Amino acid sequence: MRTRILALLAASMTLAAAAPAQTVTARVDGAAAQRDVATLASPEFQGRRLFTPGYDRAADWAAAKLREWKLEPAGESGTFFQDVPVTGPDAE
């Protein structure tokens, strides 16, 4: 069975390779980060368990955040996702 994952590692590697080293100052909003964690931990996402509708909703939510932050997709076909094979008891 296959599932899609967010291609975050590839995105960060692409960003690092594309930009010269520079100092970046960023403001972290702790309240916004807490809201995002609470959202991902909500029952709507069913624990982000593979092969559940909640997993797909969580992945779509995260991809929307990446688009909101103006990051470039590094996944397959110009998306933030990559299909990967999954093995194990839940993959049957």
Side-chain angles (χ1 to χ4, degrees):
M1 184 169 271
R2 299 180 72 79
T3 192
R4 63 186 186 159
I5 61 166
L6 284 170
L8 294 178
L9 179 59
S12 64
M13 292 170 57
T14 301
L15 290 172
Q22 59 186 346
T23 300
V24 176
T25 302
R27 183 170 174 263
V28 176
D29 182 343
Q34 187 174 12
R35 283 190 304 273
D36 289 346
V37 169
T39 297
L40 284 171
S42 70
E44 174 187 2
F45 297 121
Q46 298 174 296
R48 300 155 319 275
R49 184 181 170 110
L50 284 177
F51 313 118
T52 66
Y55 176 86
D56 291 331
R57 282 192 296 272
D60 290 338
W61 179 89
K65 280 291 189 185
L66 297 175
R67 279 192 288 291
E68 178 184 320
W69 297 334
K70 309 283 190 239
L71 295 177
E72 294 292 324
E76 296 170 351
S77 303
T79 70
F80 286 104
F81 299 101
Q82 177 179 348
D83 284 329
V84 296
V86 178
T87 60
D90 291 341
E92 298 173 0

